[in-house]
Amino acid sequence: MITLNSPIMVVTDLDGSLLDHFDYTWQPAQLWLDRLQQHNIPIVFCTSKTATEVFKLQKNMKITAPFIAENGAVIYLSPQQKHILGQVKDLGTTVQHIKHAYHFNFTTFSEMTNEQLIKCTNLNKDQADDAKQRDASEPLLWQDTAQNLKLFASILKRQHLKLIQGGRFWHVVSEQSGKDKALAWLLRQYPQHTQTIGLGDAPNDKSFLEKTDYSVVIKTYAPTELRLNKEAYYTQHYGPQGWSEGLQHFIQL
């Protein structure tokens, strides 16, 4: 068992984890956010969201910490210090070329109108604009067969790209990217935080949750529950309630 005085870092997914899956609220987790900040414990977002989205969330939540964005493709040590893992030139163009060459049926973020994106995500107009401001990833809504999804992934691999499954969308990133790789890079910059607690709910969280010292899998609305290949705590509650439950399990007050 660890305490709030332990040298720890909390690494958390956002959508469906710290943020509610439907309305993106975090208030049920505010008590634990306050506790962590009072003890100077870094709260590191590890998310598929963009840097623009994260900066606004951090401001609203009064959090200052490094973060990982775009499924591990982008790392910010501070607002002035950005590091990109495996940036791909013309990623969107490459994805579109594969789509049309093989007649795959999917819709990328860049193709979606704001109205379409709002309908898929329940974001408002400003939030939808922020979600499109991407440096190194291309989310897409898959509308084709499972067999073609495997084919698409194999074609991406030949281009040194990979496909990551999130809560709502699939994400195309460089094969050098990933939440686990980004977390490993970040931790090398902060060796004083000797223990990590990871929290997430979706398949794209699996890679980093299997690397943290303590792992919390938050209950999901998806048909299939995320299972890790290590010991972890599986919550009974969803979203920020489950987030708080997971910290309560591991941190002794």
Side-chain angles (χ1 to χ4, degrees):
M1 187 73 74
I2 54 180
T3 74
L4 289 168
N5 294 314
S6 302
I8 59 175
M9 175 185 288
V10 172
V11 186
T12 179
D13 174 52
L14 290 177
D15 294 348
S17 298
L18 179 54
L19 302 182
D20 183 84
H21 178 78
F22 299 104
D23 62 14
Y24 304 103
T25 56
W26 68 85
Q27 280 69 24
Q30 190 63 56
L31 177 60
W32 268 100
L33 290 172
D34 292 341
R35 285 171 177 158
L36 295 173
Q37 290 180 281
Q38 286 163 6
H39 288 79
N40 297 314
I41 295 172
I43 305 167
V44 175
F45 295 164
C46 188
T47 176
S48 61
K49 288 185 177 298
T50 65
T52 304
E53 292 176 282
V54 173
F55 280 127
K56 288 185 177 181
L57 277 168
Q58 285 187 323
K59 182 179 180 180
N60 290 335
M61 300 169 80
K62 297 179 173 58
I63 289 174
T64 303
F67 66 82
I68 296 165
E70 296 191 44
N71 274 309
V74 180
I75 307 165
Y76 272 84
L77 298 177
S78 73
Q80 295 76 36
Q81 293 177 283
K82 177 172 72 171
H83 181 77
I84 296 181
L85 292 179
Q87 187 168 21
V88 180
K89 185 179 179 181
D90 299 325
L91 176 60
T93 303
T94 300
V95 172
Q96 287 295 330
H97 175 75
I98 295 171
K99 174 183 176 178
H100 295 302
Y102 290 87
H103 306 290
F104 290 134
N105 185 19
F106 61 78
T107 307
T108 64
F109 257 39
S110 54
E111 291 177 297
M112 286 184 183
T113 64
N114 272 10
E115 290 71 23
Q116 289 173 311
L117 189 53
I118 289 167
K119 186 177 180 180
C120 287
T121 61
N122 293 325
L123 297 172
N124 62 37
K125 184 181 182 301
D126 289 340
Q127 291 169 331
D129 287 335
D130 294 341
K132 286 187 171 184
Q133 296 185 34
R134 297 190 169 265
D135 289 317
S137 65
E138 183 67 78
L140 57 91
L141 191 62
W142 187 257
Q143 297 152 314
D144 212 318
T145 64
Q147 183 177 359
N148 277 346
L149 183 65
K150 291 180 181 179
L151 176 60
F152 181 47
S154 68
I155 295 166
L156 289 173
K157 188 174 182 179
R158 295 200 291 269
Q159 301 283 339
H160 304 291
L161 301 170
K162 65 182 178 182
L163 197 58
I164 298 175
Q165 184 180 6
R168 287 182 172 89
F169 300 95
W170 291 87
H171 302 256
V172 180
V173 298
S174 164
E175 64 181 4
Q176 298 174 44
S177 302
K179 289 188 175 184
D180 56 336
K181 294 180 175 65
L183 178 58
W185 186 91
L186 182 63
L187 289 175
R188 288 196 291 272
Q189 320 307 312
Y190 296 92
Q192 69 273 26
H193 298 288
T194 57
Q195 294 179 304
T196 51
I197 302 176
L199 304 99
D201 73 309
N204 59 331
D205 300 321
K206 183 175 182 178
S207 66
F208 92 86
L209 289 177
E210 291 190 337
K211 301 296 184 183
T212 51
D213 296 300
Y214 304 90
S215 301
V216 177
V217 177
I218 297 168
K219 192 172 183 179
T220 177
Y221 292 97
T224 305
E225 185 186 57
L226 173 64
R227 304 298 299 186
L228 303 184
N229 297 315
K230 59 169 283 191
E231 185 177 347
Y233 178 73
Y234 294 82
T235 72
Q236 298 300 308
H237 294 92
Y238 300 92
Q241 290 94 341
W243 193 87
S244 299
E245 178 191 340
L247 291 181
Q248 183 77 44
H249 175 79
F250 282 119
I251 300 177
Q252 182 177 7
L253 294 176

